[in-house]
Amino acid sequence: MLYLLSELSGTLTPLNVFRYITFRTGGALFTAGFFVFWFGPWIISLLRLRQGKGQPIREDGPATHLTKRGTPTMGGLMILAGAVVSILLWTNPHNHYVWVTLAVTLGFGAIGFYDDYLKVTKQSHKGFSGRFRLLLEFAIAGAACLMISIYSPPALQNQLAFPVFKDALLNLGWFWVPFAAFVIVGAGNAVNITDGLDGLAIVPVMIACATFGVIAYLVGNVIYASYLQVNYVRDTGELAVVCGAVIGAGLGFLWFNAPPAQIFMGDTGSLALGGLLGSIAVAAKHEIVLAIVGGLFVLEIMSVIIQVLSFKLTGKRVFRMAPIHHHFEQKGWKEPQVVIRFWIIAVILALVGLATLKLR
């Protein structure tokens, strides 16, 4: 909206500042943060009133978690509301990548919301059918990837780019769409698995968003892309504004989610934010880098897969409890120790991911 005002104002007015991606990214961050800070208490009160007993707590989980009974969930609504308002206000409405990313985010958020709703109303950990949920996620992600493929530069269409290696591209042909959809769905579910402790998921999400905001900005700028010898993907720079909005909304949410949490993110937020990260990585042609930057999320979901496969094949468990953050809790780590140490890992992985831009 503000970008359109700058276009209508002509070329020699103070409103020209709204054309700069960096300025609008900062504006999006502060707008989303203010929105969540301002409306957060009201949203928490409303959810607490509507949900009653709040999110059900696992009886077989760490004993310390039983004190969290009654805490409302669906805090992702706070994040999505703040981010969407900010995105609509600060991004260029003519940018296709923004709308595709927004569609994935809201689509995954709706799936997570329905899952949270079933868990709260039934006071059970079982939402709706896992297979049907994955089917819906792949349908949304597949449609998004098809649109991204159409909007991609012809030279990069259906190509998988490799970090570190200059001009290393693998033409996946028609298989690129299901592959990219798998990246988005995998990212959504990996963040969802990670969201198990107060503040554990939102900070790594913000770190990953900051990283991909930088990547999207550089990849979408022909001068920087040429200097760094990375593939130039026109118009992806606008996704930096989207990342700024998510970081701002995340900071606002963290204020209320910090231990002891006043509200949980729930599937509403974790699925949506993971899908957003996946779609940005796909649009910017940095799918493999997402596995590095989001390595913490990969570790979390792989711990669950390994635990399930090991138990089915051998009858033995690799971890004391999965996901892996519960494993460390069972080993005696306090919740804040697990959370902060995982944050440190997320920062290190983000720096490694950013380093791939220069290593060519």
Side-chain angles (χ1 to χ4, degrees), residues 77-215:
L77 291 173
M78 298 166 57
I79 303 171
L80 293 180
V84 169
V85 167
S86 186
I87 289 169
L88 294 178
L89 183 65
W90 290 97
T91 57
N92 176 3
H94 302 308
N95 189 285
H96 300 298
Y97 293 122
V98 169
W99 290 110
V100 170
T101 300
L102 199 55
V104 171
T105 304
L106 294 178
F108 276 39
I111 294 171
F113 175 83
Y114 183 60
D115 209 31
D116 283 336
Y117 174 78
L118 291 178
K119 291 175 182 176
V120 169
T121 53
K122 295 181 178 180
Q123 279 299 295
S124 169
H125 293 287
K126 294 182 179 180
F128 67 109
S129 167
R131 291 182 180 179
F132 184 58
R133 171 172 147 168
L134 282 175
L135 181 63
L136 287 176
E137 290 172 9
F138 270 105
I140 294 170
C145 293
L146 184 61
M147 297 304 294
I148 290 174
S149 176
I150 293 171
Y151 298 138
S152 295
L156 296 175
Q157 206 166 48
N158 299 334
Q159 303 276 353
L160 174 63
F162 292 89
V164 180
F165 300 100
K166 183 175 66 174
D167 299 326
L169 296 171
L170 176 63
N171 189 351
L172 297 179
W174 63 268
F175 183 69
W176 183 85
V177 170
F179 167 78
F182 175 79
V183 171
I184 294 175
V185 173
N189 285 278
V191 174
N192 182 226
I193 291 291
T194 306
D195 182 34
L197 301 177
D198 297 347
L200 178 59
I202 189 60
V203 171
V205 163
M206 289 191 291
I207 292 169
C209 270
T211 305
F212 271 95
V214 173
I215 290 173

Side-chain angles (χ1 to χ4, degrees), residues 4-23:
L4 288 179
L5 286 176
S6 69
E7 284 191 329
L8 294 172
S9 67
T11 57
L12 296 175
T13 71
L15 291 176
N16 277 343
V17 71
F18 292 115
R19 297 188 184 184
Y20 294 108
I21 290 175
T22 49
F23 178 82

